[in-house]
Amino acid sequence: MLDALVPDLILINARIHTVDEANPAATAVAIRDGRFVAVGSDDEIRALAGAKTRIEDLGGATVVPGLIDAHNHLQATGEMLRDVQLFDARAMGEIVARIAERVSQTPAGGWVIGRGWDESLLAERRHPTRHDLDAVSPDNPVVIHRVWNKLVCNSAALRAAGIDRHTPDPPANVLYSGSFERDENGEPTGLFRDRAKEMITNHIPLATEEDVVAAVETACRAYNAVGLTGVAEPGLYPNEIRAFDRAKREGKLTVRTDMLMAAWGFGAPETEVGLEERFVAMGVAGGFGDDLLRLEGIKFMVDGGMSDRTARMSEPYLDDPDNRGTWVVEPNRMVSLIRWVHDLGWSMDIHTCGDEAQETVVRAFADAHRENPKPWLRHRVHHAYFPTPAALAAMAEAQISAVVSSPFLTNLGEGFVNSVGPERASRAMPMRTYLDAGVPLAGSSDSYITDFNPWVGMHAAVNRTTVHGRDLNKAGEGLTPTEALRSYTLGGAFVTGREDRQGSITPGKLADLVVLDRDPLTIPAEELDQVTPTATMLGGEWVYRA
């Protein structure tokens, strides 16, 4: 046999779920130059070995393709992992105690950042206030971010930002401008919403490029440990893109990353000046890069969220008959921008939580594809909570992926129920409806908003229960474990046009795989979130071993 055809590595004695319909199961794979070259039985693959081939016996372990999160803020997650973790806090005392501990470890005057509280899961059923935080941090500025779209800061942070009772509210005539809460005496409580959060966050010291590179490295290690080998990273600015490139050059990037540039709907209107000129001047279009790091698309945010009642809906929120949510980008302008970006040659990932927002966006996508066909552009919507019949038809026609953030059902589901009631909440993220309609489906976490562990995401997609045990599967929208696995493999690869080289264990594809401690397709479905990788491979090299 010619040496050029001899595998570098052979893995045998495994239960391999290939996610390849042509060859769904195998026990061995052969790898050369970072790609799968053969998949089959132990005897078939052993016969390919040469004198220099390494053979590893996996001892009967289960193997699946490398997992892909189709909408994941990897760099921000790396930063978040250094912050005070509040996602599992269930009482105000827990929040305060964790902040107090970090304050004790922080130099005088240094900022303390926390993330993840959700008032719907707290025993007190209320937001924290500056008074809660002042009790343990009178001098260090403290900012604690809600899971989505709000923050609370202490008095020291208000002083640093120059905000007091005389500070005017943000302009009401700006979409999504937000507000900050005042008490009965007109004093700020510390709670800031929507874009008003920038009144505080603009005063937090900026991360250096070294900080951002370190955050990328931190997240990659954590992601490899749960089996993630690919993400679509949405909403990056030029300095963050530069840091990703540096992380790659320094060998710190071990998750294949499709970067999407931040565009309309992220910050104050002045931050959007010159976006068209920036994108035109780049001189390239979507897909520029290589198999490890690509500049793939552009991200918009066009409405708000569900649990804070800002997603743009066609029907009002529960007990709030005058509120149908908020547009972040004016809809007629958004439709025009979608067509312009499509014609320029970039895929788009657009945040749509409300049904009105989703239908408006996907109709614009379908019209753009119909009038100027560019099937290699993989436009998609993320969150995609409540598709209308018209939205389903447009998504199926143009093969627009629904990128569902399934862990939200577990971790934010109680907030959904509070906003729209249990019946409507049970129809949120209707994964079965999407598949039945022929709409491509991909799993995601939207980390750092919630847990990046894909096994938590698959558990949520199958079981659809909240952290309080509430059943959100009464409408029958849960997936099977096989479908959930596909959403995090081939489904994720399709989103960025990589299905020809990622997403399944198939000869010719990149050798990304995960070795597991149990078989996710045979264990009880309620145990899916307990699946634990013992090893993760990227391009034929082990990047994680337990």
Side-chain angles (χ1 to χ4, degrees):
M1 180 183 295
L2 294 174
D3 285 345
L5 302 178
V6 174
D8 303 315
L9 174 66
I10 285 175
L11 305 178
I12 62 167
N13 189 20
R15 173 183 278 186
I16 303 173
H17 299 301
T18 66
V19 195
D20 180 350
E21 292 181 355
N23 183 29
T27 62
V29 297
I31 296 166
R32 183 177 178 90
D33 295 331
R35 292 182 180 268
F36 299 117
V37 293
V39 181
S41 69
D42 286 1
D43 290 343
E44 290 170 333
I45 303 304
R46 272 185 182 277
L48 304 177
K52 297 182 180 180
T53 302
R54 300 185 343 263
I55 298 178
E56 292 191 32
D57 188 320
L58 296 183
T62 297
V63 173
V64 298
L67 303 175
I68 301 165
D69 188 322
H71 184 94
N72 181 296
H73 301 273
L74 181 151
Q75 174 247 315
T77 300
E79 295 176 349
M80 177 272 291
L81 290 171
R82 300 197 296 263
D83 295 339
V84 182
Q85 304 297 300
L86 304 174
F87 293 93
D88 62 344
R90 297 294 178 261
M92 205 65 64
E94 294 178 40
I95 293 176
V96 172
R98 294 179 195 182
I99 295 300
E101 180 181 8
R102 182 60 63 88
V103 169
S104 71
Q105 303 164 358
T106 303
W111 287 72
V112 172
I113 311 298
R115 187 175 297 278
W117 60 271
D118 181 347
E119 72 282 1
S120 69
L121 301 180
L122 297 177
E124 294 83 357
R125 307 286 286 184
R126 68 168 175 86
H127 302 103
T129 71
R130 66 182 172 94
H131 304 294
D132 297 310
L133 302 176
D134 287 349
V136 295
S137 186
D139 302 314
N140 288 74
V142 176
V143 175
I144 56 172
H145 295 270
R146 187 179 182 273
V147 286
W148 163 254
N149 210 30
K150 298 177 186 176
L151 65 77
V152 169
C153 67
N154 69 344
S155 296
L158 290 172
R159 291 193 298 269
I163 296 172
D164 58 24
R165 64 181 302 159
H166 304 295
T167 303
D169 291 323
N173 61 344
V174 175
L175 286 176
Y176 212 56
S177 63
S179 62
F180 63 94
E181 186 179 76
R182 302 173 190 265
D183 64 19
E184 63 275 9
N185 298 316
E187 298 287 350
T189 68
L191 178 69
F192 289 74
R193 300 179 176 88
D194 306 334
R195 284 179 177 154
K197 294 182 299 180
E198 295 170 14
M199 298 172 69
I200 298 296
T201 57
N202 285 345
H203 294 273
I204 298 173
L206 292 174
T208 65
E209 184 172 290
E210 287 73 20
D211 292 333
V212 180
V213 172
V216 170
E217 182 179 23
T218 296
C220 283
R221 290 176 178 175
Y223 285 18
N224 293 156
V226 294
L228 285 170
T229 59
V231 299
E233 188 10 314
L236 296 175
Y237 290 96
N239 64 304
E240 295 166 326
I241 292 170
R242 195 159 47 245
F244 267 92
D245 182 59
R246 176 173 160 183
K248 175 192 169 187
R249 294 176 189 277
E250 294 178 359
K252 297 172 180 176
L253 183 65
T254 57
V255 174
R256 301 190 192 280
T257 303
D258 281 282
M259 300 181 291
L260 295 105
M261 297 175 286
W264 295 274
F266 283 88
E270 57 267 23
T271 67
E272 297 177 359
V273 174
L275 283 179
E276 290 95 333
E277 291 81 358
R278 180 194 300 173
F279 298 145
V280 170
M282 294 184 69
V284 297
F288 183 76
D290 58 25
D291 285 328
L292 185 58
L293 186 65
R294 294 196 313 171
L295 199 54
E296 191 259 334
I298 290 174
K299 181 196 171 185
F300 293 43
M301 193 177 90
V302 303
D303 73 339
M306 184 58 53
S307 60
D308 66 343
R309 303 187 180 199
T310 56
R312 184 64 185 184
M313 303 284 281
S314 59
E315 298 178 30
Y317 287 90
L318 189 68
D319 301 327
D320 195 357
D322 297 324
N323 180 19
R324 293 195 297 117
T326 307
W327 287 108
V328 180
V329 180
E330 192 277 324
N332 289 332
R333 179 169 180 257
M334 175 188 64
V335 169
S336 175
L337 286 169
I338 286 172
R339 179 56 188 268
W340 182 83
V341 173
H342 173 91
D343 291 347
L344 193 61
W346 294 96
S347 295
M348 284 166 275
D349 179 345
I350 297 188
H351 164 120
T352 63
C353 287
D355 60 344
E356 184 177 339
Q358 183 173 343
E359 181 175 326
T360 304
V361 166
V362 299
R363 281 180 181 272
F365 282 161
D367 289 345
H369 273 305
R370 191 182 312 111
E371 295 164 10
N372 183 12
K374 293 188 176 184
W376 60 91
L377 295 181
R378 298 292 170 81
H379 305 321
R380 62 266 196 185
V381 286
H382 65 272
H383 303 316
Y385 292 152
F386 297 110
T388 63
L392 287 170
M395 294 172 76
E397 171 198 348
Q399 288 295 279
I400 299 163
S401 288
V403 180
V404 292
S405 41
S406 56
F408 283 26
L409 294 169
T410 299
N411 298 312
L412 306 183
E414 293 295 329
F416 292 3
V417 172
N418 292 342
S419 295
V420 298
E423 193 277 329
R424 285 169 74 186
S426 73
R427 292 186 276 115
M429 279 184 265
M431 301 172 212
R432 174 66 49 212
T433 294
Y434 280 126
L435 290 180
D436 289 348
V439 173
L441 183 70
S444 81
S445 64
D446 199 15
S447 180
Y448 54 97
I449 303 300
T450 190
D451 199 331
F452 57 81
N453 186 338
W455 302 102
V456 170
M458 285 185 243
H459 179 276
V462 172
N463 295 284
R464 294 179 66 94
T465 52
T466 72
V467 290
H468 287 171
R470 187 192 300 268
D471 182 8
L472 293 181
N473 198 29
K474 294 178 181 178
E477 294 291 351
L479 300 180
T480 67
T482 297
E483 291 166 337
L485 177 61
R486 184 181 177 89
S487 75
Y488 272 92
T489 51
L490 273 178
F494 180 85
V495 162
T496 57
R498 288 182 183 257
E499 72 273 16
D500 63 336
R501 49 174 134 2
Q502 281 180 270
S504 67
I505 297 175
T506 302
K509 289 193 176 184
L510 296 163
D512 302 344
L513 58 80
V514 190
V515 184
L516 304 174
D517 69 343
R518 66 198 80 185
D519 188 340
L521 305 189
T522 61
I523 61 173
E526 59 270 19
E527 296 178 10
L528 272 170
D529 57 352
Q530 299 173 33
V531 173
T532 303
T534 60
T536 301
M537 175 177 285
L538 182 82
E541 300 291 336
W542 297 112
V543 291
Y544 169 75
R545 291 233 180 177

